[in-house]
Amino acid sequence: MPAILELPSAPFHELKPYKSLSNEELSARIEAVRREMGPRLLILGHHYQQDEVIAHSDLRGDSYQLSQMAASSRDCRVIIFCGVHFMAETADILANRPEKLTERDGERVTVILPDLAAGCSMADMAAIDQVEAAWQDLGEVIDTNDLTPVTYINSAASLKAFCGRHGGIVCTSSNARAVLEWSFQRTKRVFFFPDQHLGRNTALKMGITNDQMPVFDPYNSDLGGNSEEAIRNSRVILWKGHCSVHQMFRAEHVKLFRERYPGIKILVHPECPQEVNDQADVSGSTSKIIQTVEKSPPGTKWAIGTELHLVNRLKHEHPEQEIHFLSPVVCMCATMYRIDLAHLCWSLENLAAGRPINVIQVAPETARWSLVALERMLEVK
């Protein structure tokens, strides 16, 4: 859960009545608040959100990209983040970093998450106390001064702060290789969390083998389920975490689509398991997936292994191409796209009434060290 410093005030408007309103009425009321607040308000929509929410977003993109864009705005004083906890935390950290506060004479940008139940199961698989305990356990076998902690952007601010304090760094799915290269210039080993698949798929392309990448299970008290020899021989120690959506794509799905649709290309996110990633024609971040489709000629056939809302949006926006979801089974992340028009309208009208709810504010010390790790990432080329 996010480090919220103070509980939000009681809402002026209760949520329940909003749930009975039509999408048309909710949309009209959302737009009324947007017009009233003007450029002081930015609504950010992550790629995985529902289409009706994306329609009201000022900016659409990946989580870190959105936070950067919002933080760079001189006019913005309130961010409504249609995403999940860790995204809102990162937005608060970047929008309210010291130089930005100085520019605004100390005035903070308020960051609101319309539904506090919107989370990320992957981020929840690595709690700060588990990571700290694992670090201590590893320190009994190897020198942690020669170990760089790397956390995926899809993680709590407390984990980003852990990396900041221990000489570590944050990565995205776009720059994971560059971050690992940066890390290996400084230490012999990397401790990568919370997504094992992104870490493994990235390291494999760098020539690191699976036997050099033990997986640390935080629920196994015996070195995460590893021998001391395995830890000593490691180059990348992977955390036993995954994305529930990307985890469900299988090698047999790739085979099925290749057999059923001759000439089809497989396009996946590197959070998919190795056996899927290895067989894909293209593997890349959400932005890369979108750009790959946008740049492809009419008639191209794709089976895409990532979140269903994004795949369906690409299908709608590119009717000149044939786009399929890379699975016969539909599995959606119920928390990643949890925010709906009712929650968005409810949070906006409470804001307009002077009672902002679901405010995400990261504790100063956590924000300070998180920023250190994020700034190291920005320096990586």
Side-chain angles (χ1 to χ4, degrees):
M1 294 294 288
I4 302 177
L5 293 187
E6 44 186 273
L7 292 173
S9 58
F12 186 83
H13 303 287
E14 294 300 324
L15 174 61
K16 188 175 180 180
Y18 289 83
K19 294 187 174 182
S20 62
L21 299 177
S22 68
N23 281 1
E24 289 74 19
E25 183 170 354
L26 289 167
S27 293
R29 289 166 66 165
I30 289 168
E31 289 305 308
V33 177
R34 290 181 72 190
R35 287 193 298 271
E36 178 186 338
M37 294 198 65
R40 291 177 56 82
L41 169 70
L42 278 180
I43 300 178
L44 309 184
H46 187 265
H47 286 305
Y48 292 173
Q49 298 303 296
Q50 301 176 53
D51 287 345
E52 53 264 34
V53 171
I54 287 291
H56 295 285
S57 301
D58 297 292
L59 301 170
R60 181 174 99 183
D62 287 339
S63 59
Y64 188 71
Q65 174 192 19
L66 286 171
S67 295
Q68 277 189 305
M69 289 190 293
S72 67
S73 169
R74 290 187 173 275
D75 298 321
C76 175
R77 293 298 181 270
V78 180
I79 292 171
I80 306 288
F81 211 128
C82 297
V84 297
H85 280 301
F86 74 80
M87 300 179 190
E89 288 180 337
T90 302
D92 178 61
I93 292 165
L94 293 180
N96 293 305
R97 60 190 187 270
E99 61 268 32
K100 289 295 179 181
L101 288 173
T102 300
E103 286 178 12
R104 297 190 298 267
D105 296 323
E107 183 181 1
R108 290 186 63 86
V109 170
T110 300
V111 179
I112 291 171
L113 184 66
D115 186 349
L116 287 181
C120 171
S121 59
M122 179 207 296
D124 292 341
M125 288 179 188
I128 184 58
D129 57 338
Q130 292 176 318
V131 171
E132 288 175 340
W135 188 262
Q136 185 174 350
D137 289 347
L138 292 170
E140 295 177 3
V141 179
I142 57 176
D143 180 6
T144 52
N145 289 319
D146 201 22
L147 177 66
T148 299
V150 175
T151 191
Y152 189 20
I153 190 80
N154 297 31
S155 61
S158 55
L159 267 64
K160 296 180 178 73
F162 175 90
C163 290
R165 288 194 303 271
H166 292 279
I169 189 169
V170 178
C171 80
T172 67
S173 52
S174 299
N175 68 9
R177 177 166 184 155
V179 165
L180 287 186
E181 289 171 345
W182 177 92
S183 302
F184 285 130
Q185 289 171 4
R186 287 156 178 78
T187 60
K188 180 180 179 180
R189 298 181 182 87
V190 165
F191 187 22
F192 191 98
F193 45 83
D195 181 46
Q196 62 174 303
H197 299 306
L198 175 62
R200 180 181 296 109
N201 290 328
T202 304
L204 285 168
K205 290 180 179 178
M206 298 170 63
I208 297 170
T209 56
N210 274 310
D211 61 355
Q212 296 173 301
M213 291 189 279
V215 178
F216 193 100
D217 181 354
Y219 296 100
N220 190 321
S221 59
D222 188 12
L223 268 182
N226 299 285
S227 66
E228 291 189 6
E229 182 182 11
I231 297 299
R232 290 193 187 98
N233 292 336
S234 67
R235 294 297 311 286
V236 179
I237 301 170
L238 301 167
W239 191 262
K240 192 176 182 181
H242 61 267
C243 167
S244 58
V245 170
H246 292 107
Q247 173 93 347
M248 64 111 183
F249 295 110
R250 296 284 183 264
E252 53 264 34
H253 299 159
V254 176
K255 181 181 179 183
L256 173 69
F257 275 90
R258 291 204 191 277
E259 290 175 349
R260 188 175 294 175
Y261 303 96
I264 199 166
K265 294 183 177 181
I266 309 299
L267 174 57
V268 304
H269 196 283
E271 290 175 17
C272 292
Q274 179 188 344
E275 60 268 22
V276 175
N277 200 78
D278 286 352
Q279 295 187 50
D281 297 286
V282 182
S283 172
S285 66
T286 301
S287 294
K288 184 173 180 179
I289 289 172
I290 294 170
Q291 292 165 7
T292 299
V293 173
E294 288 175 345
K295 293 176 182 178
S296 296
T300 305
K301 290 186 283 189
W302 294 108
I304 304 180
T306 194
E307 198 275 335
L308 181 61
H309 283 99
L310 175 59
V311 176
N312 285 339
R313 191 173 303 125
L314 288 170
K315 187 184 300 186
H316 175 74
E317 293 175 351
H318 296 277
E320 79 285 359
Q321 299 184 48
E322 184 179 329
I323 295 175
H324 302 270
F325 182 62
L326 180 64
S327 176
V329 178
V330 173
C331 174
M332 295 187 290
C333 180
T335 53
M336 184 64 80
Y337 72 93
R338 187 180 181 94
I339 292 170
D340 54 19
L341 289 184
H343 280 86
L344 178 56
C345 186
W346 173 64
S347 61
L348 282 169
E349 292 194 339
N350 274 294
L351 174 67
R355 296 267 190 91
I357 44 88
N358 297 356
V359 175
I360 303 299
Q361 187 172 338
V362 179
E365 192 70 1
T366 301
R368 181 170 77 88
W369 284 111
S370 295
L371 188 59
V372 169
L374 288 164
E375 287 177 336
R376 287 179 185 140
M377 182 182 76
L378 290 178
E379 293 170 1
V380 171
K381 303 299 180 184

